[in-house]
PDB file of all heavy atoms in Angstrom:
ATOM      1  N   GLY A  75      90.231  94.707  95.478  1.00 85.00           N
ATOM      2  CA  GLY A  75      89.680  95.959  95.991  1.00 85.00           C
ATOM      3  C   GLY A  75      89.306  96.922  94.878  1.00 85.00           C
ATOM      4  O   GLY A  75      88.258  97.569  94.932  1.00 85.00           O
ATOM      5  N   GLN A  76      90.171  97.012  93.847  1.00 83.00           N
ATOM      6  CA  GLN A  76      89.878  97.912  92.733  1.00 83.00           C
ATOM      7  C   GLN A  76      88.646  97.464  91.952  1.00 83.00           C
ATOM      8  O   GLN A  76      87.786  98.275  91.598  1.00 83.00           O
ATOM      9  CB  GLN A  76      91.093  97.977  91.800  1.00 83.00           C
ATOM     10  CG  GLN A  76      92.280  98.700  92.406  1.00 83.00           C
ATOM     11  CD  GLN A  76      93.493  98.700  91.493  1.00 83.00           C
ATOM     12  OE1 GLN A  76      93.572  97.914  90.540  1.00 83.00           O
ATOM     13  NE2 GLN A  76      94.450  99.574  91.757  1.00 83.00           N
ATOM     14  N   LEU A  77      88.532  96.161  91.714  1.00 87.00           N
ATOM     15  CA  LEU A  77      87.367  95.634  90.994  1.00 87.00           C
ATOM     16  C   LEU A  77      86.094  95.783  91.825  1.00 87.00           C
ATOM     17  O   LEU A  77      85.016  96.055  91.281  1.00 87.00           O
ATOM     18  CB  LEU A  77      87.592  94.165  90.628  1.00 87.00           C
ATOM     19  CG  LEU A  77      88.645  93.897  89.552  1.00 87.00           C
ATOM     20  CD1 LEU A  77      88.866  92.409  89.383  1.00 87.00           C
ATOM     21  CD2 LEU A  77      88.223  94.516  88.219  1.00 87.00           C
ATOM     22  N   ALA A  78      86.229  95.623  93.153  1.00 82.00           N
ATOM     23  CA  ALA A  78      85.062  95.779  94.026  1.00 82.00           C
ATOM     24  C   ALA A  78      84.551  97.215  93.986  1.00 82.00           C
ATOM     25  O   ALA A  78      83.343  97.461  93.930  1.00 82.00           O
ATOM     26  CB  ALA A  78      85.428  95.383  95.461  1.00 82.00           C
ATOM     27  N   GLN A  79      85.480  98.157  93.996  1.00 77.00           N
ATOM     28  CA  GLN A  79      85.087  99.565  93.950  1.00 77.00           C
ATOM     29  C   GLN A  79      84.393  99.898  92.629  1.00 77.00           C
ATOM     30  O   GLN A  79      83.355 100.549  92.608  1.00 77.00           O
ATOM     31  CB  GLN A  79      86.309 100.459  94.151  1.00 77.00           C
ATOM     32  CG  GLN A  79      85.965 101.922  94.408  1.00 77.00           C
ATOM     33  CD  GLN A  79      87.184 102.728  94.801  1.00 77.00           C
ATOM     34  OE1 GLN A  79      88.205 102.666  94.141  1.00 77.00           O
ATOM     35  NE2 GLN A  79      87.080 103.487  95.859  1.00 77.00           N
ATOM     36  N   ARG A  80      84.960  99.413  91.531  1.00 80.00           N
ATOM     37  CA  ARG A  80      84.344  99.661  90.224  1.00 80.00           C
ATOM     38  C   ARG A  80      82.956  99.009  90.140  1.00 80.00           C
ATOM     39  O   ARG A  80      82.017  99.606  89.603  1.00 80.00           O
ATOM     40  CB  ARG A  80      85.228  99.091  89.116  1.00 80.00           C
ATOM     41  CG  ARG A  80      86.541  99.835  88.922  1.00 80.00           C
ATOM     42  CD  ARG A  80      87.360  99.170  87.836  1.00 80.00           C
ATOM     43  NE  ARG A  80      88.705  99.744  87.746  1.00 80.00           N
ATOM     44  CZ  ARG A  80      89.662  99.269  86.973  1.00 80.00           C
ATOM     45  NH1 ARG A  80      89.420  98.209  86.202  1.00 80.00           N
ATOM     46  NH2 ARG A  80      90.853  99.832  86.948  1.00 80.00           N
ATOM     47  N   ALA A  81      82.836  97.785  90.669  1.00 79.00           N
ATOM     48  CA  ALA A  81      81.555  97.076  90.607  1.00 79.00           C
ATOM     49  C   ALA A  81      80.496  97.806  91.413  1.00 79.00           C
ATOM     50  O   ALA A  81      79.344  97.942  90.974  1.00 79.00           O
ATOM     51  CB  ALA A  81      81.736  95.652  91.133  1.00 79.00           C
ATOM     52  N   GLN A  82      80.853  98.300  92.576  1.00 75.00           N
ATOM     53  CA  GLN A  82      79.862  98.962  93.414  1.00 75.00           C
ATOM     54  C   GLN A  82      79.515 100.341  92.855  1.00 75.00           C
ATOM     55  O   GLN A  82      78.368 100.792  92.990  1.00 75.00           O
ATOM     56  CB  GLN A  82      80.374  99.049  94.855  1.00 75.00           C
ATOM     57  CG  GLN A  82      80.463  97.659  95.479  1.00 75.00           C
ATOM     58  CD  GLN A  82      80.700  97.702  96.977  1.00 75.00           C
ATOM     59  OE1 GLN A  82      80.561  98.725  97.615  1.00 75.00           O
ATOM     60  NE2 GLN A  82      81.066  96.557  97.529  1.00 75.00           N
ATOM     61  N   TYR A  83      80.466 101.013  92.221  1.00 75.00           N
ATOM     62  CA  TYR A  83      80.135 102.254  91.523  1.00 75.00           C
ATOM     63  C   TYR A  83      79.123 101.967  90.417  1.00 75.00           C
ATOM     64  O   TYR A  83      78.177 102.729  90.183  1.00 75.00           O
ATOM     65  CB  TYR A  83      81.377 102.892  90.908  1.00 75.00           C
ATOM     66  CG  TYR A  83      82.238 103.661  91.876  1.00 75.00           C
ATOM     67  CD1 TYR A  83      83.632 103.622  91.800  1.00 75.00           C
ATOM     68  CD2 TYR A  83      81.665 104.446  92.870  1.00 75.00           C
ATOM     69  CE1 TYR A  83      84.424 104.333  92.680  1.00 75.00           C
ATOM     70  CE2 TYR A  83      82.451 105.162  93.752  1.00 75.00           C
ATOM     71  CZ  TYR A  83      83.824 105.108  93.658  1.00 75.00           C
ATOM     72  OH  TYR A  83      84.590 105.819  94.536  1.00 75.00           O
ATOM     73  N   SER A  84      79.329 100.850  89.716  1.00 74.00           N
ATOM     74  CA  SER A  84      78.428 100.473  88.629  1.00 74.00           C
ATOM     75  C   SER A  84      77.024 100.208  89.152  1.00 74.00           C
ATOM     76  O   SER A  84      76.030 100.604  88.535  1.00 74.00           O
ATOM     77  CB  SER A  84      78.971  99.230  87.920  1.00 74.00           C
ATOM     78  OG  SER A  84      78.087  98.796  86.911  1.00 74.00           O
ATOM     79  N   LEU A  85      76.920  99.542  90.314  1.00 73.00           N
ATOM     80  CA  LEU A  85      75.615  99.235  90.897  1.00 73.00           C
ATOM     81  C   LEU A  85      74.935 100.497  91.440  1.00 73.00           C
ATOM     82  O   LEU A  85      73.717 100.628  91.390  1.00 73.00           O
ATOM     83  CB  LEU A  85      75.764  98.202  92.012  1.00 73.00           C
ATOM     84  CG  LEU A  85      76.139  96.782  91.571  1.00 73.00           C
ATOM     85  CD1 LEU A  85      76.364  95.890  92.779  1.00 73.00           C
ATOM     86  CD2 LEU A  85      75.067  96.189  90.672  1.00 73.00           C
ATOM     87  N   LEU A  86      75.743 101.422  91.961  1.00 74.00           N
ATOM     88  CA  LEU A  86      75.179 102.656  92.513  1.00 74.00           C
ATOM     89  C   LEU A  86      74.740 103.630  91.429  1.00 74.00           C
ATOM     90  O   LEU A  86      73.852 104.455  91.657  1.00 74.00           O
ATOM     91  CB  LEU A  86      76.228 103.350  93.396  1.00 74.00           C
ATOM     92  CG  LEU A  86      76.467 102.761  94.786  1.00 74.00           C
ATOM     93  CD1 LEU A  86      77.679 103.407  95.432  1.00 74.00           C
ATOM     94  CD2 LEU A  86      75.248 102.934  95.674  1.00 74.00           C
ATOM     95  N   HIS A  87      75.345 103.513  90.255  1.00 75.00           N
ATOM     96  CA  HIS A  87      75.095 104.478  89.193  1.00 75.00           C
ATOM     97  C   HIS A  87      73.601 104.532  88.851  1.00 75.00           C
ATOM     98  O   HIS A  87      72.961 103.519  88.609  1.00 75.00           O
ATOM     99  CB  HIS A  87      75.887 104.103  87.943  1.00 75.00           C
ATOM    100  CG  HIS A  87      75.846 105.148  86.873  1.00 75.00           C
ATOM    101  ND1 HIS A  87      74.869 105.183  85.907  1.00 75.00           N
ATOM    102  CD2 HIS A  87      76.653 106.212  86.621  1.00 75.00           C
ATOM    103  CE1 HIS A  87      75.072 106.199  85.102  1.00 75.00           C
ATOM    104  NE2 HIS A  87      76.148 106.846  85.520  1.00 75.00           N
ATOM    105  N   GLY A  88      73.059 105.739  88.854  1.00 71.00           N
ATOM    106  CA  GLY A  88      71.655 105.934  88.519  1.00 71.00           C
ATOM    107  C   GLY A  88      70.701 105.820  89.685  1.00 71.00           C
ATOM    108  O   GLY A  88      69.511 106.107  89.545  1.00 71.00           O
ATOM    109  N   GLN A  89      71.194 105.419  90.857  1.00 79.00           N
ATOM    110  CA  GLN A  89      70.351 105.293  92.039  1.00 79.00           C
ATOM    111  C   GLN A  89      70.260 106.634  92.767  1.00 79.00           C
ATOM    112  O   GLN A  89      71.247 107.381  92.853  1.00 79.00           O
ATOM    113  CB  GLN A  89      70.926 104.234  92.996  1.00 79.00           C
ATOM    114  CG  GLN A  89      70.983 102.833  92.414  1.00 79.00           C
ATOM    115  CD  GLN A  89      69.609 102.230  92.248  1.00 79.00           C
ATOM    116  OE1 GLN A  89      68.720 102.447  93.063  1.00 79.00           O
ATOM    117  NE2 GLN A  89      69.416 101.460  91.187  1.00 79.00           N
ATOM    118  N   VAL A  90      69.095 106.932  93.323  1.00 82.00           N
ATOM    119  CA  VAL A  90      68.936 108.146  94.128  1.00 82.00           C
ATOM    120  C   VAL A  90      69.789 108.006  95.391  1.00 82.00           C
ATOM    121  O   VAL A  90      69.720 107.009  96.099  1.00 82.00           O
ATOM    122  CB  VAL A  90      67.457 108.364  94.507  1.00 82.00           C
ATOM    123  CG1 VAL A  90      67.318 109.572  95.423  1.00 82.00           C
ATOM    124  CG2 VAL A  90      66.608 108.553  93.255  1.00 82.00           C
ATOM    125  N   GLY A  91      70.610 109.001  95.667  1.00 85.00           N
ATOM    126  CA  GLY A  91      71.467 108.967  96.843  1.00 85.00           C
ATOM    127  C   GLY A  91      72.814 108.312  96.605  1.00 85.00           C
ATOM    128  O   GLY A  91      73.582 108.105  97.552  1.00 85.00           O
ATOM    129  N   ALA A  92      73.153 108.004  95.339  1.00 88.00           N
ATOM    130  CA  ALA A  92      74.421 107.354  95.032  1.00 88.00           C
ATOM    131  C   ALA A  92      75.612 108.217  95.448  1.00 88.00           C
ATOM    132  O   ALA A  92      76.586 107.726  96.009  1.00 88.00           O
ATOM    133  CB  ALA A  92      74.497 107.029  93.542  1.00 88.00           C
ATOM    134  N   ALA A  93      75.538 109.523  95.171  1.00 89.00           N
ATOM    135  CA  ALA A  93      76.640 110.417  95.524  1.00 89.00           C
ATOM    136  C   ALA A  93      76.841 110.457  97.038  1.00 89.00           C
ATOM    137  O   ALA A  93      77.975 110.495  97.517  1.00 89.00           O
ATOM    138  CB  ALA A  93      76.377 111.821  94.994  1.00 89.00           C
ATOM    139  N   ALA A  94      75.750 110.436  97.789  1.00 89.00           N
ATOM    140  CA  ALA A  94      75.863 110.441  99.252  1.00 89.00           C
ATOM    141  C   ALA A  94      76.575 109.183  99.739  1.00 89.00           C
ATOM    142  O   ALA A  94      77.401 109.236 100.658  1.00 89.00           O
ATOM    143  CB  ALA A  94      74.468 110.545  99.886  1.00 89.00           C
ATOM    144  N   ALA A  95      76.260 108.034  99.132  1.00 86.00           N
ATOM    145  CA  ALA A  95      76.915 106.783  99.521  1.00 86.00           C
ATOM    146  C   ALA A  95      78.417 106.847  99.274  1.00 86.00           C
ATOM    147  O   ALA A  95      79.221 106.391 100.088  1.00 86.00           O
ATOM    148  CB  ALA A  95      76.301 105.612  98.752  1.00 86.00           C
ATOM    149  N   VAL A  96      78.798 107.444  98.144  1.00 87.00           N
ATOM    150  CA  VAL A  96      80.223 107.581  97.822  1.00 87.00           C
ATOM    151  C   VAL A  96      80.893 108.561  98.779  1.00 87.00           C
ATOM    152  O   VAL A  96      81.997 108.316  99.278  1.00 87.00           O
ATOM    153  CB  VAL A  96      80.393 108.045  96.361  1.00 87.00           C
ATOM    154  CG1 VAL A  96      81.847 108.398  96.073  1.00 87.00           C
ATOM    155  CG2 VAL A  96      79.923 106.960  95.402  1.00 87.00           C
ATOM    156  N   LEU A  97      80.251 109.674  99.059  1.00 90.00           N
ATOM    157  CA  LEU A  97      80.822 110.686  99.948  1.00 90.00           C
ATOM    158  C   LEU A  97      81.006 110.135 101.362  1.00 90.00           C
ATOM    159  O   LEU A  97      82.001 110.429 102.032  1.00 90.00           O
ATOM    160  CB  LEU A  97      79.913 111.912  99.985  1.00 90.00           C
ATOM    161  CG  LEU A  97      79.823 112.726  98.689  1.00 90.00           C
ATOM    162  CD1 LEU A  97      78.705 113.755  98.784  1.00 90.00           C
ATOM    163  CD2 LEU A  97      81.146 113.413  98.375  1.00 90.00           C
ATOM    164  N   GLN A  98      80.054 109.336 101.832  1.00 87.00           N
ATOM    165  CA  GLN A  98      80.137 108.789 103.175  1.00 87.00           C
ATOM    166  C   GLN A  98      81.222 107.720 103.295  1.00 87.00           C
ATOM    167  O   GLN A  98      81.577 107.326 104.401  1.00 87.00           O
ATOM    168  CB  GLN A  98      78.773 108.231 103.590  1.00 87.00           C
ATOM    169  CG  GLN A  98      77.751 109.322 103.853  1.00 87.00           C
ATOM    170  CD  GLN A  98      76.353 108.798 104.107  1.00 87.00           C
ATOM    171  OE1 GLN A  98      75.927 107.816 103.512  1.00 87.00           O
ATOM    172  NE2 GLN A  98      75.622 109.449 104.995  1.00 87.00           N
ATOM    173  N   GLY A  99      81.738 107.265 102.154  1.00 83.00           N
ATOM    174  CA  GLY A  99      82.834 106.309 102.182  1.00 83.00           C
ATOM    175  C   GLY A  99      84.204 106.950 102.234  1.00 83.00           C
ATOM    176  O   GLY A  99      85.214 106.250 102.253  1.00 83.00           O
ATOM    177  N   MET A 100      84.261 108.273 102.273  1.00 86.00           N
ATOM    178  CA  MET A 100      85.548 108.957 102.311  1.00 86.00           C
ATOM    179  C   MET A 100      86.188 108.847 103.682  1.00 86.00           C
ATOM    180  O   MET A 100      85.512 108.910 104.699  1.00 86.00           O
ATOM    181  CB  MET A 100      85.374 110.432 101.922  1.00 86.00           C
ATOM    182  CG  MET A 100      84.907 110.641 100.502  1.00 86.00           C
ATOM    183  SD  MET A 100      84.711 112.391 100.079  1.00 86.00           S
ATOM    184  CE  MET A 100      86.415 112.951 100.165  1.00 86.00           C
ATOM    185  N   ARG A 101      87.498 108.702 103.694  1.00 84.00           N
ATOM    186  CA  ARG A 101      88.249 108.628 104.932  1.00 84.00           C
ATOM    187  C   ARG A 101      88.782 110.007 105.308  1.00 84.00           C
ATOM    188  O   ARG A 101      89.062 110.830 104.447  1.00 84.00           O
ATOM    189  CB  ARG A 101      89.417 107.656 104.795  1.00 84.00           C
ATOM    190  CG  ARG A 101      89.012 106.234 104.481  1.00 84.00           C
ATOM    191  CD  ARG A 101      90.219 105.357 104.252  1.00 84.00           C
ATOM    192  NE  ARG A 101      91.101 105.346 105.409  1.00 84.00           N
ATOM    193  CZ  ARG A 101      92.342 104.848 105.399  1.00 84.00           C
ATOM    194  NH1 ARG A 101      92.841 104.370 104.280  1.00 84.00           N
ATOM    195  NH2 ARG A 101      93.066 104.859 106.498  1.00 84.00           N
ATOM    196  N   GLY A 102      88.919 110.233 106.603  1.00 86.00           N
ATOM    197  CA  GLY A 102      89.473 111.500 107.051  1.00 86.00           C
ATOM    198  C   GLY A 102      88.458 112.371 107.746  1.00 86.00           C
ATOM    199  O   GLY A 102      87.355 111.932 108.099  1.00 86.00           O
ATOM    200  N   ASN A 103      88.833 113.622 107.943  1.00 87.00           N
ATOM    201  CA  ASN A 103      88.017 114.558 108.703  1.00 87.00           C
ATOM    202  C   ASN A 103      86.954 115.205 107.805  1.00 87.00           C
ATOM    203  O   ASN A 103      86.983 116.401 107.523  1.00 87.00           O
ATOM    204  CB  ASN A 103      88.908 115.641 109.331  1.00 87.00           C
ATOM    205  CG  ASN A 103      88.155 116.499 110.337  1.00 87.00           C
ATOM    206  OD1 ASN A 103      87.140 116.084 110.888  1.00 87.00           O
ATOM    207  ND2 ASN A 103      88.639 117.706 110.564  1.00 87.00           N
ATOM    208  N   TRP A 104      86.015 114.370 107.330  1.00 92.00           N
ATOM    209  CA  TRP A 104      84.925 114.841 106.499  1.00 92.00           C
ATOM    210  C   TRP A 104      83.605 114.619 107.222  1.00 92.00           C
ATOM    211  O   TRP A 104      83.383 113.563 107.790  1.00 92.00           O
ATOM    212  CB  TRP A 104      84.873 114.095 105.169  1.00 92.00           C
ATOM    213  CG  TRP A 104      86.121 114.179 104.346  1.00 92.00           C
ATOM    214  CD1 TRP A 104      87.152 113.288 104.350  1.00 92.00           C
ATOM    215  CD2 TRP A 104      86.468 115.185 103.389  1.00 92.00           C
ATOM    216  NE1 TRP A 104      88.116 113.676 103.451  1.00 92.00           N
ATOM    217  CE2 TRP A 104      87.724 114.835 102.853  1.00 92.00           C
ATOM    218  CE3 TRP A 104      85.832 116.333 102.930  1.00 92.00           C
ATOM    219  CZ2 TRP A 104      88.362 115.607 101.885  1.00 92.00           C
ATOM    220  CZ3 TRP A 104      86.462 117.087 101.969  1.00 92.00           C
ATOM    221  CH2 TRP A 104      87.720 116.730 101.444  1.00 92.00           C
ATOM    222  N   GLN A 105      82.742 115.616 107.183  1.00 92.00           N
ATOM    223  CA  GLN A 105      81.393 115.451 107.723  1.00 92.00           C
ATOM    224  C   GLN A 105      80.401 115.566 106.569  1.00 92.00           C
ATOM    225  O   GLN A 105      80.315 116.595 105.915  1.00 92.00           O
ATOM    226  CB  GLN A 105      81.071 116.500 108.777  1.00 92.00           C
ATOM    227  CG  GLN A 105      79.644 116.409 109.319  1.00 92.00           C
ATOM    228  CD  GLN A 105      79.383 117.458 110.385  1.00 92.00           C
ATOM    229  OE1 GLN A 105      79.825 117.333 111.517  1.00 92.00           O
ATOM    230  NE2 GLN A 105      78.656 118.508 110.016  1.00 92.00           N
ATOM    231  N   VAL A 106      79.658 114.497 106.336  1.00 93.00           N
ATOM    232  CA  VAL A 106      78.720 114.445 105.213  1.00 93.00           C
ATOM    233  C   VAL A 106      77.292 114.517 105.737  1.00 93.00           C
ATOM    234  O   VAL A 106      76.903 113.743 106.602  1.00 93.00           O
ATOM    235  CB  VAL A 106      78.906 113.154 104.393  1.00 93.00           C
ATOM    236  CG1 VAL A 106      77.926 113.102 103.221  1.00 93.00           C
ATOM    237  CG2 VAL A 106      80.342 113.036 103.894  1.00 93.00           C
ATOM    238  N   THR A 107      76.526 115.473 105.228  1.00 92.00           N
ATOM    239  CA  THR A 107      75.108 115.590 105.548  1.00 92.00           C
ATOM    240  C   THR A 107      74.325 115.345 104.264  1.00 92.00           C
ATOM    241  O   THR A 107      74.257 116.217 103.396  1.00 92.00           O
ATOM    242  CB  THR A 107      74.765 116.984 106.108  1.00 92.00           C
ATOM    243  OG1 THR A 107      75.629 117.273 107.206  1.00 92.00           O
ATOM    244  CG2 THR A 107      73.315 117.036 106.571  1.00 92.00           C
ATOM    245  N   PRO A 108      73.733 114.152 104.122  1.00 93.00           N
ATOM    246  CA  PRO A 108      73.023 113.847 102.877  1.00 93.00           C
ATOM    247  C   PRO A 108      71.717 114.630 102.757  1.00 93.00           C
ATOM    248  O   PRO A 108      71.069 114.958 103.748  1.00 93.00           O
ATOM    249  CB  PRO A 108      72.724 112.341 103.003  1.00 93.00           C
ATOM    250  CG  PRO A 108      73.568 111.860 104.142  1.00 93.00           C
ATOM    251  CD  PRO A 108      73.763 113.036 105.042  1.00 93.00           C
ATOM    252  N   ALA A 109      71.347 114.917 101.540  1.00 91.00           N
ATOM    253  CA  ALA A 109      70.036 115.465 101.182  1.00 91.00           C
ATOM    254  C   ALA A 109      69.621 116.676 102.017  1.00 91.00           C
ATOM    255  O   ALA A 109      68.589 116.672 102.658  1.00 91.00           O
ATOM    256  CB  ALA A 109      68.979 114.364 101.304  1.00 91.00           C
ATOM    257  N   ILE A 110      70.440 117.724 101.995  1.00 92.00           N
ATOM    258  CA  ILE A 110      70.010 118.957 102.685  1.00 92.00           C
ATOM    259  C   ILE A 110      68.963 119.688 101.854  1.00 92.00           C
ATOM    260  O   ILE A 110      68.293 120.592 102.345  1.00 92.00           O
ATOM    261  CB  ILE A 110      71.203 119.895 102.973  1.00 92.00           C
ATOM    262  CG1 ILE A 110      71.871 120.364 101.678  1.00 92.00           C
ATOM    263  CG2 ILE A 110      72.220 119.209 103.882  1.00 92.00           C
ATOM    264  CD1 ILE A 110      72.882 121.471 101.874  1.00 92.00           C
ATOM    265  N   ALA A 111      68.840 119.294 100.593  1.00 92.00           N
ATOM    266  CA  ALA A 111      67.795 119.851  99.729  1.00 92.00           C
ATOM    267  C   ALA A 111      67.348 118.778  98.753  1.00 92.00           C
ATOM    268  O   ALA A 111      68.162 118.056  98.190  1.00 92.00           O
ATOM    269  CB  ALA A 111      68.294 121.073  98.972  1.00 92.00           C
ATOM    270  N   VAL A 112      66.024 118.663  98.584  1.00 92.00           N
ATOM    271  CA  VAL A 112      65.438 117.683  97.674  1.00 92.00           C
ATOM    272  C   VAL A 112      64.272 118.343  96.958  1.00 92.00           C
ATOM    273  O   VAL A 112      63.484 119.053  97.583  1.00 92.00           O
ATOM    274  CB  VAL A 112      64.911 116.445  98.440  1.00 92.00           C
ATOM    275  CG1 VAL A 112      64.418 115.388  97.454  1.00 92.00           C
ATOM    276  CG2 VAL A 112      65.965 115.872  99.360  1.00 92.00           C
ATOM    277  N   ASN A 113      64.158 118.122  95.646  1.00 90.00           N
ATOM    278  CA  ASN A 113      62.998 118.671  94.939  1.00 90.00           C
ATOM    279  C   ASN A 113      62.026 117.547  94.561  1.00 90.00           C
ATOM    280  O   ASN A 113      62.252 116.380  94.872  1.00 90.00           O
ATOM    281  CB  ASN A 113      63.433 119.486  93.717  1.00 90.00           C
ATOM    282  CG  ASN A 113      64.123 118.623  92.663  1.00 90.00           C
ATOM    283  OD1 ASN A 113      64.053 117.399  92.699  1.00 90.00           O
ATOM    284  ND2 ASN A 113      64.788 119.267  91.725  1.00 90.00           N
ATOM    285  N   ARG A 114      60.968 117.895  93.871  1.00 90.00           N
ATOM    286  CA  ARG A 114      59.931 116.927  93.524  1.00 90.00           C
ATOM    287  C   ARG A 114      60.410 115.858  92.554  1.00 90.00           C
ATOM    288  O   ARG A 114      59.827 114.777  92.450  1.00 90.00           O
ATOM    289  CB  ARG A 114      58.701 117.653  92.931  1.00 90.00           C
ATOM    290  CG  ARG A 114      57.968 118.516  93.935  1.00 90.00           C
ATOM    291  CD  ARG A 114      56.762 119.197  93.289  1.00 90.00           C
ATOM    292  NE  ARG A 114      56.044 120.003  94.275  1.00 90.00           N
ATOM    293  CZ  ARG A 114      55.099 119.526  95.073  1.00 90.00           C
ATOM    294  NH1 ARG A 114      54.764 118.252  95.011  1.00 90.00           N
ATOM    295  NH2 ARG A 114      54.486 120.317  95.937  1.00 90.00           N
ATOM    296  N   ASP A 115      61.466 116.163  91.806  1.00 89.00           N
ATOM    297  CA  ASP A 115      62.029 115.192  90.870  1.00 89.00           C
ATOM    298  C   ASP A 115      63.090 114.309  91.525  1.00 89.00           C
ATOM    299  O   ASP A 115      63.771 113.539  90.840  1.00 89.00           O
ATOM    300  CB  ASP A 115      62.660 115.921  89.682  1.00 89.00           C
ATOM    301  CG  ASP A 115      61.624 116.696  88.886  1.00 89.00           C
ATOM    302  OD1 ASP A 115      60.649 116.078  88.428  1.00 89.00           O
ATOM    303  OD2 ASP A 115      61.781 117.933  88.749  1.00 89.00           O
TER     304      ASP A 115
END
Side-chain angles (χ1 to χ4, degrees):
Q76 290 178 343
L77 290 174
Q79 192 172 49
R80 291 178 188 174
Q82 293 191 14
Y83 280 141
S84 177
L85 290 175
L86 284 170
H87 189 271
Q89 298 290 324
V90 176
V96 171
L97 292 170
Q98 289 173 324
M100 296 180 66
R101 299 175 58 192
N103 190 23
W104 302 93
Q105 177 179 284
V106 180
T107 307
I110 62 170
V112 185
N113 64 15
R114 292 180 179 274
D115 297 303

